[in-house]
Amino acid sequence: MKKHVVAYKALSPALLERLREAVDLSCIDITGESGLARLEEALPTAHGLIGSSLKLTPALLDKALQLEAIASISVGYDNYDLDYLAHRGILLSNTPDVLTETVADTAFALILATARRVVELADYVKAGKWQRSIGEPLFGNDVHGKTLGIIGMGRIGSAIARRGRFGFGMPILYNSHSPKPEVDREFSARYCSLDDLLSEADFVCITVPLSEETSGLIGARQLALLKQEAFLINISRGKVVDEAALIEALQAKRFQGAGLDVFEKEPLPSDSPLLNLPQVVATPHIGSATHGTREGMARCAVDNLLAALTGKRPPDLVNPDVWTRRMTDHPK
Ligand code: DGY
């Protein structure tokens, strides 16, 4: 009998066909009315789950007693409780690599948009306010040659560093668990403490994954270290920054501006003070949201899920300990 897979994110016809050949597939639109209730109903018979943008809490997964694997269509896996999955022996996979360059493009879109006031000035033109050559109050800031500070130097951090170094001639500073000699060599980058990075960089770009360690990493004290002319760019997770402290610092104009793709609460509430600040460019978590990349991510997740459900090690396994235990308990 075919295994039962529940897809809780829309997939392309090609991927649906691939899944249908291999498994018994239920597709649930969790954004629609009663979507969550329908997901809960489907869970008891599910062997596999594929999707993203939903916190799969232990309470929810307790209903999925047959669950063997979850394929997340995302690189971040903060929506899953790894201890719980380990306890249940459920394999979790993600989609690294395929989105790296697209997310780095998004970081640069935010760097350029904030520094050159692209959104604010495009709105100015649309509002019919462009009556004569603009004056100094509407000038922006240069990006090329400015210092780029990158917090977290994984795949995405490196792709941002490459753009900054070779595209914009920017000196690169970075902070991560430890210095990375290959990064220092390739981008003439300098490893430094978080405090030094915050106080020296013109653009501070956050790329660390959300974890217990990084939650609230950038709070009031850290924001106070930013230079007056600095911009803060966040393309990782909203909770890495203390949003209340960020709003206060921006309202007080302690630094130049912020490009934010992620927020403590998403979608960003319509009464967020961030929306009233002209020096903020806010985008709706679009880091990887291009047609090509989202399809690539979904394809990668399907590969991971089908591998897991046919007894093969998923290529992008987040919790290899679960796999090792499975192989020890049930050797092939
Ligand atoms: C990811 O893949 O983690 C991106 O943030 C999209 O969710």
Side-chain angles (χ1 to χ4, degrees), residues 105-178:
D105 286 350
T106 304
F108 257 86
L110 289 173
I111 288 173
L112 289 163
T114 48
R116 299 302 306 274
R117 303 170 68 170
V118 173
V119 179
E120 184 190 350
L121 294 179
D123 284 348
Y124 170 89
V125 175
K126 282 190 180 166
K129 293 183 184 163
W130 187 27
Q131 308 291 350
R132 59 191 63 81
S133 172
I134 65 154
E136 209 173 321
L138 294 183
F139 289 178
N141 291 271
D142 279 327
V143 173
H144 66 274
K146 293 294 175 76
T147 300
L148 176 58
I150 302 174
I151 304 176
M153 190 45 83
R155 299 174 180 89
I156 294 171
S158 294
I160 294 170
R162 183 172 311 109
R163 282 159 178 74
R165 183 71 195 140
F166 302 119
F168 293 82
M170 302 170 94
I172 309 292
L173 302 177
Y174 70 100
N175 177 258
S176 60
H177 278 301
S178 54

Side-chain angles (χ1 to χ4, degrees), residues 39-250:
L39 175 66
E40 286 186 27
E41 269 168 37
L43 286 177
T45 54
H47 299 99
L49 294 176
I50 180 167
S52 66
S53 317
L54 176 68
K55 210 161 189 70
L56 290 183
T57 59
L60 203 56
L61 294 180
D62 274 347
K63 299 182 197 300
L65 287 178
Q66 320 224 36
L67 194 62
E68 297 172 24
I70 301 171
S72 186
I73 311 176
S74 67
V75 67
Y77 44 87
D78 43 293
N79 273 335
Y80 312 91
D81 181 328
L82 293 186
D83 290 338
Y84 173 86
L85 296 184
H87 166 71
R88 288 275 315 275
I90 297 168
L91 297 170
L92 175 68
S93 56
N94 67 343
T95 60
D97 298 319
V98 64
L99 48 54
T100 300
E101 299 300 329
T102 298
V103 178
D105 286 350
T106 304
F108 257 86
L110 289 173
I111 288 173
L112 289 163
T114 48
R116 299 302 306 274
R117 303 170 68 170
V118 173
V119 179
E120 184 190 350
L121 294 179
D123 284 348
Y124 170 89
V125 175
K126 282 190 180 166
K129 293 183 184 163
W130 187 27
Q131 308 291 350
R132 59 191 63 81
S133 172
I134 65 154
E136 209 173 321
L138 294 183
F139 289 178
N141 291 271
D142 279 327
V143 173
H144 66 274
K146 293 294 175 76
T147 300
L148 176 58
I150 302 174
I151 304 176
M153 190 45 83
R155 299 174 180 89
I156 294 171
S158 294
I160 294 170
R162 183 172 311 109
R163 282 159 178 74
R165 183 71 195 140
F166 302 119
F168 293 82
M170 302 170 94
I172 309 292
L173 302 177
Y174 70 100
N175 177 258
S176 60
H177 278 301
S178 54
K180 302 199 169 192
E182 69 285 5
V183 165
D184 302 354
R185 259 195 318 275
E186 193 177 349
F187 309 123
S188 313
R190 178 160 65 84
Y191 174 85
C192 61
S193 70
L194 182 58
D195 283 7
D196 285 350
L197 184 151
L198 292 166
S199 50
E200 288 180 42
D202 298 297
F203 294 90
V204 171
C205 193
I206 305 170
T207 74
V208 284
L210 177 64
S211 65
E212 268 175 32
E213 191 193 342
T214 62
S215 178
L217 181 71
I218 307 298
R221 189 189 75 75
Q222 289 74 17
L223 291 168
L225 295 173
L226 291 174
K227 297 200 287 198
Q228 223 301 304
E229 56 271 37
F231 290 88
L232 183 76
I233 308 296
N234 190 3
I235 46 105
S236 72
R237 287 294 184 264
K239 287 186 177 142
V240 174
V241 179
D242 175 343
E243 203 165 279
L246 174 64
I247 291 168
E248 207 187 306
L250 285 164

